[in-house]
Amino acid sequence: MNPEKSKTPIHNSKSVVRLPMIIGITLAAGVLLGSTFFSGGKKLSDVAKGYAKYREVLMLVENNYVDSVNTDELVDFSIAKMLEKLDPHTAYFNTEEATAARSQLESGFDGIGVEFNIYNDTVYVVTPLSGGPSETVGIQSGDRIISVNKENLSGPGVTNAQVYKLLRGKRGTKVDLSIERVGLKERMNYAVVRDRIPTYSVDASYMVDQEVGYIKVSRFSETTFDEFKSALKTLKAEGLKNLILDLRGNPGGYMERATSMADEFIAGDKLLVYTEGKDTRFDRKTRSHIDGLFEQGPLIVLVDEGSASASEILAGALQDHDRALVVGRRSYGKGLVQMPIKLTDGSELRLTISRYYTPSGRSIQKPYELGKGEDYSLDLSHRYDSGELFNADSIKFDKSKVYKTDGGRIVYGGGGITPDIFVPKDTLLNSKYLFELYSKNIIREYALRYANENQKKLEKQTFKDFLQSFQISDAMLSDLVKDASRAGIKPNEKELNHSKSVITSQTKAIIGRYVWGRKQKNGLNNEVFQVLNPSDNVYTQAVQLFNQAAQLEKGKFSSLNIPKNKN
């Protein structure tokens, strides 16, 4: 994921859940409706009584408590504890945190490039930003950051501001992270070099062959729709007839960018999304209204457990209108809308004011209990443990929330977008040796050194020739293993052979991006995706499904190979 001049709300709550915070920028996986202050209410007398009681207690503590106290800290703490009784996404930022977030929006800064949650005083990686330094070294969604530069980051009182302070810094400086990962008993140590957080949200856009195009969108920021439209126009000029839109790992952002994108695919005057809250001022409906660039033609959308909020709005609209075949794994399930409200002292409240619904009436928000967020932030770990990421039969549907698409296909509400075609998470080639290479940045450093030393020779060919003919030789692999040994990673031939195809493809991708991709000014990482996608099991299955996507577009549902109880 990348840039973020986005003012989208941040989902967080101090001890329940802090949803996506981007290091170097504030990008929430939520939906921004606007910053409007509340007024009025039916129970003002009750609110006044509560305020009077709180003020009385605070004054008594300030004037009479035996020791000196920091009143500001008490107020911040009490507000945060109060909000814990609400939903997992309502959040409060004290003045320091709010100032840091706003400064990021204004100018950006250098960091390690991750989005994170804070839950139970532990920092969880939501997703590494695409093309950023954390993704490069192999940090993964769900990783727990235990310490930064040997300073503990896990324990009572860890704050958003503390995380910013430790992870931000001048580009080129190194950050040593201690990571815990699901499925591994031992902690992993990563050396991440800070860099400028990318400012693009369309990561890749290229023609797979003469008819099939691929576009990867990593978030919905201010420039996303313009980037997407430009990419789509270019692909159409190159002969685009079938499109794969990859929303995997996309945590959301501006709702309007997602609905504008949906409008490019959906013809006529159709509902795209609507919101409902207690106050009707925040109810709205968004409909398609323009002649889009790709209203006809087979369309496949890729989603996974990291696709949230605005990503789910887009995927849900396309699925409900039978416009796209959705492939992958069940999406995150974030359907609450936050409104950012700046308070008089510079602090900020992100208050949940409504829910969004797909055209068929589905609420995608996954279940939660007010004030009980224990399982909420750990949902992805639960999905891993339950087997849902590996077996479609492990997905639990709420049979009381059954809805139908325009064509009568059954879809379910109450927990993300379930794909039409399930593809399991591929972990078969993982090994501890591979994780160690990632953690000490061996693959990237070797690839960059090789590219530097052989750049003139490599540049004599086109990237297309490189893609088709270049192979990581045994001698190159041997040099990489020697680098790993010098870094303290013990050779393990069995695990090396097990993960060899991943290591070689990652090395080739980085070489390709460094030699050919770095000269581009449009933010696209086409070279990386062109190397890696052919070994991506979700992608490889998707490119075989355009016949089904074409049948779906024509309304011929009976010929689709889609399990009736899985869509």
Side-chain angles (χ1 to χ4, degrees):
M1 333 237 110
N2 308 355
E4 301 93 54
K5 292 182 180 178
S6 154
K7 295 180 181 177
T8 38
I10 294 183
H11 332 245
N12 66 329
S13 164
K14 187 165 185 178
S15 67
V16 179
V17 73
R18 289 198 184 237
L19 235 55
M21 302 290 285
I22 296 185
I23 302 307
I25 197 88
T26 298
L27 170 68
V31 179
L32 176 66
L33 285 184
S35 184
T36 322
F37 286 95
F38 289 103
S39 61
K42 295 181 180 180
K43 299 183 178 180
L44 287 179
S45 61
D46 291 342
V47 173
K49 289 179 182 177
Y51 168 73
K53 181 190 293 187
Y54 179 77
R55 183 176 183 275
E56 183 179 7
V57 171
L58 190 64
M59 290 299 296
L60 287 169
V61 170
E62 173 67 21
N63 294 328
N64 301 296
Y65 184 67
V66 64
D67 297 320
S68 61
V69 295
N70 185 318
T71 305
D72 288 341
E73 286 186 1
L74 289 179
V75 171
D76 287 343
F77 178 78
S78 60
I79 292 173
K81 296 302 288 185
M82 174 179 66
L83 297 182
E84 287 180 14
K85 294 295 183 182
L86 305 180
D87 68 275
H89 296 302
T90 291
Y92 169 74
F93 294 91
N94 63 32
T95 304
E96 181 183 12
E97 292 173 333
T99 300
R102 284 193 289 271
S103 69
Q104 296 163 20
L105 294 175
E106 293 167 359
S107 60
F109 66 92
D110 300 336
I112 70 167
V114 296
E115 296 181 8
F116 65 88
N117 298 341
I118 298 178
Y119 169 73
N120 272 357
D121 300 314
T122 300
V123 179
Y124 289 85
V125 175
V126 174
T127 186
L129 306 186
S130 179
S134 289
E135 183 195 52
T136 300
V137 302
I139 289 176
Q140 300 179 7
S141 298
D143 284 349
R144 297 182 289 274
I145 302 177
I146 305 303
S147 68
V148 179
N149 292 333
K150 296 184 178 181
E151 182 173 337
N152 191 34
L153 197 61
S154 177
V158 61
T159 66
N160 206 30
Q162 182 184 6
V163 178
Y164 279 139
K165 182 178 179 181
L166 291 174
L167 298 185
R168 293 188 300 175
K170 186 178 181 181
R171 75 178 74 178
T173 57
K174 188 178 71 169
V175 183
D176 292 318
L177 303 179
S178 178
I179 297 288
E180 287 184 351
R181 177 170 298 164
V182 174
L184 291 180
K185 294 182 180 179
E186 299 179 13
R187 290 182 181 178
M188 310 296 295
N189 296 311
Y190 286 86
V192 185
V193 178
R194 294 185 180 99
D195 200 354
R196 174 62 62 177
I197 302 304
T199 56
Y200 298 95
S201 52
V202 174
D203 283 351
S205 174
Y206 64 89
M207 293 296 292
V208 178
D209 56 31
Q210 292 183 341
E211 296 186 348
V212 175
Y214 172 86
I215 296 178
K216 168 72 173 178
V217 181
S218 60
R219 83 189 47 76
F220 291 95
S221 62
E222 285 185 342
T223 62
T224 298
F225 179 64
D226 292 336
E227 292 177 53
F228 166 77
K229 197 167 183 179
S230 175
L232 189 58
K233 285 181 178 178
T234 299
L235 295 187
K236 286 197 70 175
E238 295 176 2
L240 175 71
K241 293 183 180 178
N242 307 315
L243 178 63
I244 295 175
L245 177 63
D246 193 345
L247 301 179
R248 289 176 295 170
N250 183 324
Y254 280 115
M255 181 180 72
E256 291 80 2
R257 306 307 188 270
T259 54
S260 294
M261 196 178 296
D263 206 353
E264 295 295 330
F265 298 118
I266 296 173
D269 177 25
K270 294 182 180 178
L271 184 64
L272 301 177
V273 67
Y274 66 96
T275 61
E276 290 184 352
K278 180 170 64 177
D279 190 326
T280 56
R281 287 183 298 156
F282 305 118
D283 295 350
R284 64 184 296 185
K285 293 183 177 180
T286 303
R287 307 184 68 89
S288 60
H289 63 280
I290 65 168
D291 292 329
L293 289 174
F294 199 73
E295 292 182 347
Q296 293 182 333
L299 174 63
I300 293 175
V301 175
L302 308 185
V303 298
D304 65 7
E305 58 279 359
S307 307
S309 190
S311 295
E312 296 172 296
I313 290 175
L314 176 54
L318 294 171
Q319 188 178 54
D320 281 1
H321 290 307
D322 299 304
R323 177 62 188 93
L325 190 70
V326 180
V327 177
R329 294 183 294 279
R330 183 166 66 97
S331 63
Y332 184 87
K334 196 280 177 182
L336 297 176
V337 182
Q338 283 73 53
M339 181 174 69
I341 305 168
K342 186 177 179 180
L343 305 182
T344 54
D345 68 342
S347 58
E348 189 168 280
L349 174 67
R350 302 287 174 91
L351 190 66
T352 296
I353 46 87
S354 61
R355 291 179 172 84
Y356 74 70
Y357 298 84
T358 69
S360 67
R362 285 186 285 171
S363 170
I364 299 169
Q365 178 61 43
K366 59 188 176 184
Y368 65 90
E369 293 185 57
L370 292 178
K372 295 182 179 180
E374 289 187 8
D375 286 343
Y376 195 83
S377 192
L378 297 174
D379 178 57
L380 296 185
S381 294
H382 293 327
R383 294 191 199 188
Y384 183 96
D385 294 338
S386 70
E388 179 185 324
L389 301 183
F390 308 97
N391 191 329
D393 292 333
S394 297
I395 301 175
K396 305 299 182 184
F397 296 98
D398 186 341
K399 298 300 177 65
S400 68
K401 298 178 179 178
V402 177
Y403 299 85
K404 290 187 177 181
T405 68
D406 290 353
R409 296 187 301 135
I410 293 176
V411 289
Y412 293 94
I417 298 295
T418 301
D420 301 310
I421 303 293
F422 174 84
V423 183
K425 187 176 181 67
D426 186 5
T427 60
L428 291 176
L429 298 178
N430 287 349
S431 68
K432 182 182 177 182
Y433 188 75
L434 175 64
F435 292 148
E436 289 178 332
L437 293 180
Y438 284 151
S439 71
K440 293 194 175 181
N441 217 9
I442 301 301
I443 296 176
R444 179 178 181 273
E445 292 302 321
Y446 173 78
L448 293 181
R449 188 175 78 247
Y450 180 89
N452 273 321
E453 293 174 353
N454 297 274
Q455 184 169 346
K456 291 183 178 180
K457 179 177 69 176
L458 291 168
E459 285 180 333
K460 291 180 180 179
Q461 60 184 324
T462 65
F463 174 74
K464 183 177 180 180
D465 292 334
F466 170 84
L467 182 63
Q468 293 176 346
S469 62
F470 185 84
Q471 299 292 329
I472 303 298
S473 67
D474 289 342
M476 293 172 65
L477 193 60
S478 178
D479 288 342
L480 188 150
V481 170
K482 290 176 183 177
D483 286 352
S485 297
R486 283 191 287 268
I489 301 175
K490 294 181 180 180
N492 188 317
E493 187 174 353
K494 181 179 179 181
E495 292 188 1
L496 171 65
N497 289 331
H498 181 77
S499 301
K500 182 177 179 179
S501 62
V502 177
I503 296 170
T504 55
S505 61
Q506 291 277 351
T507 304
K508 179 176 178 178
I510 296 169
I511 293 172
R513 181 170 182 255
Y514 186 82
V515 174
W516 287 275
R518 64 177 180 156
K519 299 176 182 179
Q520 299 183 27
K521 301 299 183 182
N522 55 10
L524 297 178
N525 294 311
N526 287 345
E527 293 77 15
V528 170
F529 287 91
Q530 285 176 281
V531 172
L532 298 182
N533 273 345
S535 58
D536 179 330
N537 68 322
V538 179
Y539 170 89
T540 55
Q541 185 158 341
V543 294
Q544 305 297 321
L545 294 172
F546 279 112
N547 182 56
Q548 290 196 49
Q551 296 300 310
L552 178 67
E553 184 186 17
K554 296 174 183 177
K556 298 180 179 180
F557 308 128
S558 60
S559 63
L560 298 179
N561 184 28
I562 300 175
K564 293 183 179 179
N565 65 335
K566 295 302 177 195
N567 57 327

